[in-house]
Amino acid sequence: MTDVSEDWRTFLTRWSQEWADAQGAEEPAGDEESKPDRRLDFPAASQERIGALEERLGHQLPPSYRTFLAVSDGWRHAGGFVWLLAGTGQVRPHEDAAGLSEYFPGELDEDSAPEDVLLAGMWGRALQLDVESDAVHVLLDPGDVDEAGEWAVYTWAPWYGDMPRRYGSFRAFMEAMYREFHRLQASSRSKRAGREFVNATTRALDESVEAARLDALGGRYERAATALAEAVAFGRPRAAGLHDQIRRLLGETYMVSFRGLADDPLYAPEIMPVLVAEHARTRRGEDLAAHNLPGASGAVREAADQVLEQLRDGSFRYTAEGVFGRAVEEAREQARWGDTDAAWHTLRAALPEWRPRSPDHLAPVGLCADPLLGPVITPERGRELLATPRAGRPGEVPPPTAGLDPPGLAWLADIAPGNILSSYRFLLVEGVEPAGLPSRIGVDESTVLNDPVTLWDARTRFRRTDDVPPWADVALTAVGRAGPGWSFAFEAAPGGNAVGPRFLSPGLAASRGTRAVTVWSEPFRGHRPGLPHVFHLSVAENGEERYGFTVRGTTTDSRGPVPGALRPDRFFPPDTPAEDRRGERLALDALATELGVALPRFALTHSRLHTFRTRPWNRAPGPGEAYMTVGFVSRRP
């Protein structure tokens, strides 16, 4: 007990002295009792007084609060909003005095979480410790007890705007209030008042921030993050800006602001676009500066507006200097054709050569804003990036993480129903670069590649134009590389009549002077019993179909000399259930093995690819043939 009491005494003495030093020559208004000796504590409570309190309450007090009272019978200025904490003579049952149990946690049922049930009963059984405060309730809960006998402390104020805050013990609560005191002293309010807040605690924390910066550059990001989080809790300058860089690369976006770096002209080119990109994703139509750049200069705000416009039209590009900058350009070229794994390997290899813009720059966090490279930096790769020594710092290079793209094509058959990729059609063209596909299968001679977009945006933004006949089954298709020597053109959820009577594969035109493969899959959907599972595969060469087959339900139509490895009877036996996609998976796997091709899952599901509008996947209707447009059946005269 002596050691614990001495620990409390040391902690409280330091807090009290730092508080007194922070007041300077000013006397704290409305605090007459603390003026003579400028202390926050009170004389210790005797064991008799503590025992009498326990007898009055009918509880033995938890260890940390009991020991606290034996050192100081109450406390002034616990943080910035609790002006007086109860001693032995002021502790009282709360008895839900404010009627808060009606609102927190709300109505309970048999599925309520244990913590909600615990909170519901807290208001009636807790002891109230706040005596004077800014409407802050401080409640010690005898029903929320850990293995050491410590009771949880809950705080709540109407201006919190969220649920009550829980601390595991009274000591944990007091340590949090000590950190709050530091944060407020380090805030701009204190600086405007002309007070310098420097003491042994702040000096030690600032040294830990600098050590953490060097740790982070050396790849020891977990140790750096722990030290920076502690410094952030104390409100130390630099800490939040450094810590947020680590958090963002780990995939965290909540409350990431880079504290002052985004509106600093030195850091803004790297940091500001990351905030703008998040704003464009989550706060469309709202004012940019108010949310992300409240203290920025006019020049920085103007630059942010330009970045926002570039992000919305897809033209923003992250840039860097030197060797790493050249790797960024190479990686972008790889990513825009779907090879995001190669893009990451290119970036990773150049990471040791990355150099910060200035001392508080830890990593190329600006990559997160790049429309093409941002998706490549997954949280797992963010950890790998942070674990790689940079800026000339020594350290051990981590082993590479596994790629995100499975080999081959079979993964398409594993997509769950309802996903945009659960039905699809694509072309594979040999010996032709993706940029050359529009000239082969574009809707007309003027067809060009659009800027890269996500597959979802490609689908939702696609609009038919007046120059397309109403019967024409045109597609907005995504393009990229499908392995050595092959390109692909892919459309998700094509809809329509899969491989209908007027089907005309664009693969015929795509195969001029080469080979082209056409695949179309429309899985069985139980709510549409009239439409069976359809799987089509055909290979064309020099403008003519060489072989192919179409499986429709239990019927298979084969054409030409289908190679043994691709024969449909190997994959689709007649008794296959309608919802079974194993045959499709086997066929795709065989095709990938036969040709050495693959489709990039990550690029199709998470990243951006160039798109263009194809020529129709069907022929014009003949005289008297019916066709469907927007839900109406039409007939050509």
Side-chain angles (χ1 to χ4, degrees):
M1 180 66 72
T2 303
D3 290 342
V4 176
S5 297
E6 188 58 37
D7 180 55
W8 266 111
R9 188 171 289 106
T10 300
F11 168 53
L12 297 176
T13 299
R14 180 173 71 249
W15 185 352
S16 185
Q17 184 59 57
E18 290 174 351
W19 179 86
D21 292 344
Q23 308 313 304
E26 301 176 19
E27 293 292 328
D31 198 23
E32 297 296 329
E33 190 176 355
S34 66
K35 285 181 180 180
D37 55 3
R38 312 282 295 185
R39 296 178 65 89
L40 299 179
D41 59 341
F42 290 89
S46 66
Q47 290 301 313
E48 290 74 18
R49 286 182 63 84
I50 296 172
L53 171 61
E54 292 177 328
E55 185 175 352
R56 173 166 64 87
L57 297 173
H59 289 289
Q60 183 175 350
L61 295 173
S64 63
Y65 184 53
R66 199 178 200 282
T67 308
F68 163 78
L69 293 173
V71 175
S72 176
D73 194 7
W75 190 257
R76 306 176 180 91
H77 297 293
F81 308 100
V82 178
W83 306 317
L84 182 61
L85 274 178
T88 52
Q90 298 149 316
V91 179
R92 62 194 185 280
H94 179 63
E95 298 178 338
D96 196 18
L100 293 172
S101 60
E102 182 179 350
Y103 305 101
F104 303 107
E107 296 184 7
L108 300 176
D109 56 33
E110 62 275 9
D111 296 323
S112 295
E115 56 268 24
D116 289 337
V117 175
L118 199 63
L119 178 60
M122 184 272 295
W123 305 102
R125 63 176 177 258
L127 305 180
Q128 185 165 346
L129 300 187
D130 58 285
V131 179
E132 298 176 11
S133 71
D134 186 6
V136 178
H137 297 271
V138 181
L139 305 175
L140 188 61
D141 182 11
D144 188 349
V145 186
D146 67 12
E147 307 112 21
E150 293 289 358
W151 302 0
V153 172
Y154 289 84
T155 65
W156 185 81
W159 42 265
Y160 272 10
D162 58 10
M163 296 288 287
R165 298 171 185 173
R166 181 186 181 279
Y167 306 89
S169 66
F170 180 76
R171 177 61 183 250
F173 162 74
M174 287 293 278
E175 288 175 347
M177 294 304 100
Y178 174 60
R179 293 191 292 268
E180 181 177 89
F181 152 68
H182 265 263
R183 284 198 305 276
L184 292 173
Q185 293 303 318
S187 69
S188 58
R189 285 183 301 172
S190 296
K191 292 176 183 177
R192 285 199 298 269
R195 294 194 300 268
E196 285 294 326
F197 184 60
V198 179
N199 49 53
T201 301
T202 64
R203 284 191 289 270
L205 286 166
D206 290 344
E207 289 174 4
S208 76
V209 168
E210 179 58 20
R213 182 184 74 84
L214 298 177
D215 272 341
L217 290 174
R220 296 174 294 278
Y221 74 93
E222 291 175 306
R223 186 165 76 181
T226 299
L228 290 170
E230 176 75 358
V232 168
F234 278 83
R236 297 316 303 153
R238 301 176 65 203
L242 293 167
H243 191 228
D244 279 356
Q245 293 175 64
I246 295 175
R247 292 182 59 214
R248 183 61 189 85
L249 285 166
L250 294 177
E252 300 175 25
T253 59
Y254 178 69
M255 298 296 287
V256 167
S257 67
F258 305 104
R259 201 72 59 84
L261 297 184
D263 49 25
D264 184 327
L266 190 61
Y267 296 94
E270 177 86 19
I271 300 298
M272 176 263 290
V274 181
L275 290 178
V276 176
E278 183 64 16
H279 175 90
R281 187 180 70 86
T282 61
R283 298 181 179 273
R284 296 184 180 183
E286 296 186 31
D287 180 64
L288 172 65
H291 285 288
N292 295 299
L293 304 166
S297 66
V300 170
R301 292 190 180 201
E302 183 178 349
D305 288 335
Q306 292 174 355
V307 169
L308 181 59
E309 184 176 346
Q310 292 169 351
L311 285 166
R312 286 174 173 165
D313 66 22
S315 63
F316 177 76
R317 301 288 184 271
Y318 170 76
T319 60
E321 299 292 331
V323 172
F324 188 74
R326 292 190 290 275
V328 166
E329 295 305 314
E330 181 182 349
R332 183 179 293 111
E333 183 67 15
Q334 293 165 322
R336 77 186 184 105
W337 301 121
D339 200 348
T340 54
D341 281 347
W344 169 243
H345 294 318
T346 298
L347 292 171
R348 187 186 189 279
L351 274 173
E353 302 302 321
W354 175 84
R355 294 296 182 268
R357 288 178 174 268
S358 51
D360 282 359
H361 191 191
L362 290 183
V365 68
L367 282 168
C368 297
D370 191 280
L372 279 171
L373 297 179
V376 173
I377 311 301
T378 62
E380 294 77 16
R381 285 172 170 169
R383 281 192 283 274
E384 191 176 342
L385 185 158
L386 289 166
T388 301
R390 306 171 299 283
R393 298 292 300 176
E396 184 177 347
V397 176
T401 55
L404 299 177
D405 284 332
L409 307 171
W411 61 268
L412 283 163
D414 299 330
I415 300 294
N419 187 291
I420 190 176
L421 290 177
S422 62
S423 65
Y424 56 85
R425 60 187 180 188
F426 63 84
L427 300 180
L428 301 172
V429 185
E430 187 177 22
V432 177
E433 284 295 304
L437 293 179
S439 65
R440 290 176 172 261
I441 58 172
V443 71
D444 55 40
E445 294 181 357
S446 64
T447 302
V448 295
L449 290 176
N450 301 318
D451 288 332
V453 295
T454 65
L455 210 60
W456 178 256
D457 283 344
R459 179 168 173 77
T460 57
R461 295 176 187 176
F462 178 50
R463 297 291 182 270
R464 296 180 65 91
T465 56
D466 294 337
D467 60 331
V468 176
W471 53 263
D473 178 17
V474 298
L476 188 67
T477 186
V479 300
R481 293 196 175 96
W486 291 86
S487 294
F488 71 83
F490 186 98
E491 183 191 12
N497 187 10
V499 198
R502 294 188 296 107
F503 171 63
L504 180 64
S505 170
L508 298 175
S511 69
R512 296 191 313 268
T514 184
R515 279 191 300 173
V517 180
T518 302
V519 175
W520 192 338
S521 174
E522 284 289 344
F524 170 75
R525 306 190 189 285
H527 63 285
R528 300 169 69 185
L531 298 177
H533 175 218
V534 177
F535 182 81
H536 169 88
L537 187 157
S538 60
V539 176
E541 189 170 357
N542 290 323
E544 295 182 3
E545 182 180 285
R546 296 303 184 194
Y547 61 86
F549 63 85
T550 303
V551 178
R552 191 182 303 274
T554 58
T555 303
T556 300
D557 169 35
S558 293
R559 301 168 304 283
V562 179
L566 297 177
R567 281 200 344 258
D569 58 300
R570 298 184 57 201
F571 318 125
F572 302 98
D575 57 349
T576 301
E579 67 279 4
D580 191 339
R581 300 185 71 175
R582 283 179 295 179
E584 176 186 352
R585 193 181 204 288
L586 291 171
L588 290 169
D589 191 41
L591 178 64
T593 302
E594 183 82 0
L595 303 180
V597 293
L599 286 175
R601 181 177 64 183
F602 186 80
L604 290 168
T605 55
H606 290 87
S607 193
R608 296 168 180 253
L609 293 166
H610 289 287
T611 61
F612 70 94
R613 195 170 53 165
T614 70
R615 63 180 56 186
W617 284 62
N618 58 356
R619 61 169 175 78
E625 280 190 310
Y627 60 91
M628 183 172 289
T629 60
V630 198
F632 295 95
V633 176
S634 304
R635 188 175 298 278
R636 180 175 174 181

